[in-house]
Amino acid sequence: MKKKQQYEQVILVGVQTKESDDQFRESLNELQALVENAGGEVVGELTQKRDQIDTKTFIGSGKLIELSHLTDELAASTVVFNQQLSPSHTRNIQEVVDAKVIDRTQVILDIFALRARSKEGQLQVQLAQLEYMLPRLVGQGENMSRLGAGIGTRGPGESKLETDRRHITAQMTDIRRELQKITDHRQRNRQHRSESGVIQIGLIGYTNAGKSTVLNALTDAGTYEADALFATLDPLTRELELPSGAQATMTDTVGFIQDLPTTLIEAFKSTIEEARGADMLLHVIDAAQPNIQTRERTVRELLEQLEMDDIPVLYVYNKADMIEDVNFTAESYPSVVISARREEDANYILREIEAFLQEEFVYYEAQIEPSRGDILARLRQETIMTEQAFNEEARQYDVAGYTKPEGYWDTQLNG
């Protein structure tokens, strides 16, 4: 007989301060999805409205007692706060509540630890977890003894977190050194792609928007798809061919989310930077979600933090087959509305990508000698060639198209 899977019994706690009721509800729903993706089962919820969080206990002494009673009543083993807790908050809550107390950041870190497959991804998760836990090692007391298993504890492990701060700092230094080697290698690969003239496209978007599905629809990537948060952590670059015959690369990146921990923004910067040198970004948006604007804004703000907001963006509203609003219209421009699972939509996206790039690229005209078939072949692959004809009188090929501004071919043909 198959053993039934055991889930941690979790209570969610959220404090509404300045956000609207809809934003607050959306954030709590997202926290529930995060907890479920980490292997927990939400059995209760405690919310309150305050002008600002309580400096000592986050939710105030009266609400803290209510939380303690609710934890006992529901036999919950874990309490997850929607906002990030300071070390003193955790310590003071733990004195009253008989359960493991963690926050949204720890749940996100936990999911990253579960999903990271590559050496780089695992190192980045470990670094982010150590950076988060380092200031929380002193004075955790009872809560540290509870952090032995389950949500919020995967990755470095209890034994590593119990070692002295000097050892952890040295460990973080070693991880950064290893990551720098990988980052340098990535930079060399990006430089090579840039010098080759190949068109580069970056996939970005809120987590679970369907980026991997888009990548699989446009290339033969065969990457993992799932209706889950952070299904893809490790960047994946694959080749694709545009309708004109131009060759391009498309890179899938980690999904963004509201309140992404600062430690993760820093730790995963090199991963997301795979799309930094892109000629354009495809911002994939789950069009079936009710709160699209908030998610779009989150991605834009994170792009600003990553200094990638100057890259041209084509908005791809995905999951059109699941949209309930019959009057749905895309708010961002330029944009396409598609379902990545429909084959005809994949061809449509490719045509729109090429049309978008023509708007961003510079026009060129060139005459190629018949003996220079190598140059002709490269122009077909590395530029969007729109015209090619053999001029019998001049005994040459007359070609025209669009190429990257200030790129290799722009310099050679228009310089």
Side-chain angles (χ1 to χ4, degrees), residues 127-139:
L127 177 62
Q129 288 177 311
L130 290 171
E131 285 180 333
Y132 181 80
M133 292 302 294
L134 185 60
R136 291 165 170 79
L137 293 177
V138 178

Side-chain angles (χ1 to χ4, degrees), residues 70-90:
L70 184 64
T71 304
D72 294 339
E73 178 186 339
L74 298 176
S77 60
T78 306
V79 174
V80 180
F81 279 72
N82 197 27
Q83 294 99 325
Q84 185 166 305
L85 298 172
S86 69
S88 61
H89 279 141
T90 304

Side-chain angles (χ1 to χ4, degrees), residues 123-252:
L123 286 171
Q124 287 167 328
V125 172
Q126 189 174 1
L127 177 62
Q129 288 177 311
L130 290 171
E131 285 180 333
Y132 181 80
M133 292 302 294
L134 185 60
R136 291 165 170 79
L137 293 177
V138 178
Q140 282 275 22
E142 184 66 23
N143 200 47
M144 280 301 296
S145 68
R146 291 191 173 96
L147 290 177
I151 302 171
T153 64
R154 300 174 180 96
E158 186 180 16
S159 61
K160 291 182 180 178
L161 295 178
E162 287 176 343
T163 57
D164 62 83
R165 298 170 70 90
R166 185 178 300 176
H167 175 72
I168 292 176
T169 302
Q171 190 179 5
M172 288 165 62
T173 300
D174 290 341
I175 293 173
R176 288 194 182 97
R177 190 178 296 117
E178 284 294 309
L179 283 172
Q180 188 59 50
K181 292 178 183 177
I182 297 173
T183 299
D184 292 344
H185 179 68
R186 284 195 185 282
Q187 177 60 34
R188 288 192 294 272
N189 285 343
R190 285 199 299 272
Q191 185 68 26
H192 176 71
R193 287 200 298 269
S194 178
E195 290 173 353
S196 71
V198 173
I199 297 166
Q200 299 178 58
I201 304 167
L203 272 174
I204 60 164
Y206 208 82
T207 182
N208 204 27
K211 295 186 303 302
S212 294
T213 308
V214 170
L215 183 71
N216 286 337
L218 302 183
T219 73
D220 59 352
T223 190
Y224 178 67
E225 294 178 26
D227 183 17
L229 303 179
F230 304 118
T232 301
L233 287 187
D234 301 313
L236 182 67
T237 299
R238 287 293 181 264
E239 296 179 353
L240 66 96
E241 184 175 301
L242 298 177
S244 66
Q247 302 299 303
T249 62
M250 180 169 283
T251 300
D252 192 8

Side-chain angles (χ1 to χ4, degrees), residues 47-87:
T47 63
Q48 69 171 168
K49 289 187 178 182
R50 299 180 64 100
D51 292 333
Q52 58 185 21
I53 61 172
D54 187 86
T55 55
K56 291 185 178 179
T57 62
F58 203 87
I59 55 176
S61 56
K63 208 70 173 176
L64 186 58
I65 293 173
E66 184 181 339
L67 175 61
S68 177
H69 291 328
L70 184 64
T71 304
D72 294 339
E73 178 186 339
L74 298 176
S77 60
T78 306
V79 174
V80 180
F81 279 72
N82 197 27
Q83 294 99 325
Q84 185 166 305
L85 298 172
S86 69

Side-chain angles (χ1 to χ4, degrees), residues 120-121 124 179-180 182-184 186-187 190 235 251 253-254 264-276 306 308:
E120 178 186 21
Q124 287 167 328
L179 283 172
Q180 188 59 50
I182 297 173
T183 299
D184 292 344
R186 284 195 185 282
Q187 177 60 34
R190 285 199 299 272
T251 300
T253 60
V254 63
L264 273 181
I265 292 175
E266 290 302 314
F268 278 83
K269 186 173 282 188
S270 64
T271 303
I272 298 171
E273 277 184 346
E274 270 295 276
R276 181 181 290 279
L306 294 165
M308 292 171 60

